[in-house]
Each structure stands twice: as C-alpha cells, then as structure tokens.
Amino acid sequence: NTKLATPQGAARYGDKMRNELSQPQPKSPPDTGGGWLELLGDIYSGVTVGASHSMWFVTNWVRTDVIQPTLRLVWKRDSSEGSDTGTADPGLKVIGVGYGRTGTYSLTLALEELGFPCLHTQHLYENPEIFQMWTEEVFSPSLESNHATLGEPDFDLMASQGWRATMDLPMALYYEHVLAKFPDCKFILTTRDNSEVWFRSWNMLTKTITQPTQHFRFMSGIRNLDNYLRWLFSIVNRDDMYLTAPHPFPEQIKENAIASYETHNTRVREVIPKGQLLEYNVKQGWEPLCEFLDVEHCPTTPFPKTNSATSVQVQAVAAMVVPLTVAVFLVFYLFSYLFQHSTGQTVLQWLNIKRRGLLVMLSGKGVQKRERLVTDTKKSM
C-alpha cells in the first residue's frame, strides 16, 4: 500500500482512519456507540502513529549510526554528491502561530487537503536536513550557553524543500521573523476555549512525549529530539533549568506556561496585520479557513479531527513497545538459530522432548507411589 510506504504516510493514514471512525454515523440511534467508535479510532491512530515514529527512529539509527559509519571506513563519499543547488520557490505562504495542543495537527491535515504542503513538528524528524538545521542553529547553541534563545533558523531551507506551510512549535514563535521575510504570508492563530484547558492538554503531552527520550538516547535521532524538548520546555516555561535537568524532566510550571501562552497570543494579535491573521478554533470547521485562504471550492468532507489526548497517550506507549517487541523477536530469532546450529534441534523440538521426559518422570513417580501404597496396605492387613 503506497499510503503506508513512509512513516509520515503511515501516521497520516492512521489519523485519517481515526477521523473516519470517529465521525458520527448517519441515522444512528442516540446511544453511546459514537463514544466507543471514537475511542477505537483514537487507539488505532495512536498505535499507527506511535509505531511509525518508533520504526523510523530505529531504521534511521541503523542507517546513520551503523551502516554509514561502516561504509565510511571503506568508501569516502564525495561531499558534493547529492547536494541540492536549490531552485526558485514561492516561499512560505501559511504559518500556524498557535502553541502546541491547540488543534495544530488537525489543521495540518486540513491545509494539505486545501493544497498547502504543511510541515508539522510531529514529522519534523522525518526531514533530517531541516531537523539538523534547527539543532545546529537553535537547540545546540542554547544548550551550550545554558540559555534558551530563538537563534537564527533558515526559513529558506524549508521553503526550498517544497513546504508552503508550517504548524506548531517551534515555528509558531517566529511570526515576526517570517513576516519580515515573507510579507505576504498569512498566519493562523489556533486557540483553545481558555488557558486552563490548553495547559491541561499541554501538560499531558509533555508527560507522554518525554518517555521515549529517557530510554533510547543511544539513537542520534532521539538525542536530537531530547535536545529539542529541553529547549522547548525552557522557552514555554520561561526557565532554563530544563536545558540541564536529568530525566525525568521537572514538571511544567503552570503559572509560567500559561503566562507564556497568553503573552504569545497577545503579541501575535498586536504584530500581525489584521488582514493576514485568522484567529481560529478547529471546531469552526472549513468555512472560515477556506475564506481566509481564498479557496474557492471548500471541502464537504468532515474536518480532520486527530491527536486527541487518548491518541497521544497511546502513541507514547506504542513508540516504546514496538521497538522492544522487534528487539525481543530478533534476539529470540538469533538465539534459535544458534541453538539449532549447535544442537541439531529447534527450540520447540527440544522443549517437546523435555516435556515428554517430564511427563514420563511424573508418571513413573505416580506408579511408584501407587505400588508403595499397595504394599503398605498389605502389610497393615
């Protein structure tokens, strides 16, 4: 299935399926069935997305940390090979300036359906060149100086790779920089019902996405993700302690995080010209989005709904369980191969022989016990 050919494709296919499952069915009786369908959709999406994320990190680790270093020992690659000289591009057209957990991933799927290829932070790692740029220009300098700063990211790099829109942090923080560089760009400020609702969702997210970084830092991709989260939490919580804190990370500072969220939204409203800013809640659906982006033929399909709290929690579990399951399978396969090579028997054959031997031994002991019982009975008579 070509939809599942890449981790990003698998993840978004899972989100699409979850969205379809969670939509209310026509003429359905007014019972709780919709709730169960939505829960099943969340679980399906969470497992699909979490598994695709973890498998990408594993395969990327094998490629970058195992295969490529080995090849370099015998083959020095021409540094100019595969380089991109760059082509003219129209630049970034739409920037999501809402904090994470404000419907940014649902909006990403909507923008892509409207014809705007959108880079969401959830798939940032799948674009190694862009992720490396963020690491070198923003995250690493902040870690080295022990102070989180915005740095100087390369917006042209994202545009040159075909992205016309971005969503979620960290790009949401750079609205002033983007406005100066792309003055015709449009901005969408996604919000929640209130700051308390946003923080509950944000706090839940931070507890789940940090779990893989505690156990898989030997992978270079996970180390970069860990650096990003340290920088991100320092920015949102206005406290540099996250840059050097050991795992598990300190709790989010509620007062600071809410103040950061509210100040950011206020500043966006002040800086971005009214005609270029849409303040938006994904509950509003397609119409205001299509009108703002001058899309003539607005979709009639249900608006994407994804990345619920349940789905994110399932993603975190699946992201850890899947690689562990694969690792256990590989270890068992290797053990079985070596065992058969050395004994001439498969593990199952050996276990079957031992099982029969145990049954024979137990049955023999049973016979001996009955014989002793008969003997004792005769003596007592």
Side-chain angles (χ1 to χ4, degrees):
N1 192 332
T2 57
K3 293 180 180 178
L4 304 179
T6 64
Q8 185 169 345
R12 292 181 179 178
Y13 181 65
D15 290 329
K16 178 182 178 182
M17 291 298 295
R18 183 258 180 223
N19 184 46
E20 292 176 355
L21 282 171
S22 64
Q23 296 303 319
Q25 302 300 311
K27 298 182 181 180
S28 59
D31 56 22
T32 59
W36 283 106
L37 283 176
E38 185 167 349
L39 176 61
L40 290 175
D42 286 337
I43 294 174
Y44 178 86
S45 175
V47 171
T48 304
V49 175
S52 67
H53 288 339
S54 63
M55 292 309 298
W56 186 92
F57 277 114
V58 170
T59 54
N60 180 70
W61 171 70
V62 172
R63 182 178 67 253
T64 60
D65 294 358
V66 179
I67 296 178
Q68 290 181 357
T70 302
L71 291 177
R72 291 192 190 103
L73 295 176
V74 295
W75 173 47
K76 184 176 181 181
R77 183 177 179 180
D78 184 355
S79 59
S80 64
E81 182 180 347
S83 61
D84 186 4
T85 57
T87 56
D89 61 76
L92 297 174
K93 295 297 184 182
V94 183
I95 302 296
V97 290
Y99 267 28
R101 302 309 298 163
T102 59
T104 58
Y105 197 65
S106 295
L107 183 53
T108 294
L109 300 180
L111 287 174
E112 293 198 335
E113 191 167 341
L114 295 178
F116 296 90
C118 184
L119 178 60
H120 188 279
T121 306
Q122 185 166 312
H123 297 289
L124 182 61
Y125 65 85
E126 293 172 11
N127 298 269
E129 188 177 357
I130 296 177
F131 199 8
Q132 189 63 30
M133 177 274 294
W134 280 104
T135 299
E136 294 177 356
E137 301 298 331
V138 181
F139 310 148
S140 291
S142 295
L143 288 166
E144 292 168 1
S145 65
N146 198 27
H147 178 59
T149 62
L150 294 183
E152 297 182 1
D154 184 357
F155 305 119
D156 287 328
L157 176 62
M158 288 176 273
S160 68
Q161 295 194 5
W163 301 107
R164 297 295 165 259
T166 68
M167 197 61 55
D168 203 31
L169 299 162
M171 274 296 291
L173 300 171
Y174 294 85
Y175 50 93
E176 294 186 73
H177 304 73
V178 174
L179 180 62
K181 187 171 185 59
F182 304 106
D184 296 328
C185 188
K186 293 188 174 183
F187 300 82
I188 303 176
L189 176 62
T190 46
T191 58
R192 296 295 290 263
D193 294 339
N194 57 65
S195 299
E196 288 287 338
V197 171
W198 168 78
F199 181 78
R200 285 198 298 271
S201 184
W202 168 260
N203 194 42
M204 176 279 302
L205 174 70
T206 62
K207 293 179 184 299
T208 56
I209 62 176
T210 56
Q211 293 176 10
T213 64
Q214 298 183 42
H215 309 291
F216 301 99
R217 276 187 56 83
F218 62 90
M219 299 182 185
S220 58
I222 294 293
R223 287 196 299 274
N224 287 339
L225 176 61
D226 183 71
N227 292 340
Y228 165 59
L229 294 178
R230 290 179 179 278
W231 174 86
L232 177 64
F233 294 168
S234 298
I235 291 288
V236 172
N237 292 278
R238 299 175 172 178
D239 195 318
D240 289 330
M241 69 174 176
Y242 298 93
L243 294 173
T244 56
H247 285 287
F249 286 148
E251 294 285 332
Q252 300 292 296
I253 307 172
K254 181 177 180 180
E255 294 79 8
N256 290 10
I258 288 180
S260 172
Y261 169 77
E262 293 177 345
T263 301
H264 170 84
N265 291 350
T266 299
R267 181 62 179 162
V268 166
R269 297 181 187 110
E270 293 173 348
V271 170
I272 305 301
K274 290 185 178 180
Q276 292 175 247
L277 176 65
L278 171 66
E279 190 163 347
Y280 182 71
N281 188 308
V282 292
K283 295 178 182 179
Q284 295 175 267
W286 288 110
E287 186 173 348
L289 189 62
C290 293
E291 182 179 351
F292 178 68
L293 297 176
D294 299 320
V295 175
E296 294 183 3
H297 303 290
C298 207
T300 57
T301 55
F303 193 86
K305 180 183 178 183
T306 188
N307 258 18
S308 68
T310 301
S311 176
V312 171
Q313 290 170 328
V314 174
Q315 286 177 35
V317 174
M320 292 187 293
V321 170
V322 170
L324 289 176
T325 302
V326 173
V328 169
F329 173 79
L330 293 176
V331 169
F332 179 76
Y333 180 83
L334 179 61
F335 170 78
S336 300
Y337 174 81
L338 296 175
F339 185 89
Q340 184 174 4
H341 184 74
S342 59
T343 65
Q345 298 175 324
T346 65
V347 174
L348 291 178
Q349 290 172 336
W350 180 82
L351 289 174
N352 194 37
I353 292 173
K354 293 299 181 183
R355 180 183 64 83
R356 290 200 299 267
L358 180 61
L359 292 175
V360 170
M361 181 183 67
L362 293 175
S363 62
K365 288 183 178 180
V367 171
Q368 293 175 1
K369 185 176 181 180
R370 286 194 298 272
E371 290 177 348
R372 284 197 302 270
L373 181 61
V374 171
T375 301
D376 293 341
T377 302
K378 289 180 179 179
K379 288 182 178 180
S380 64
M381 295 176 60

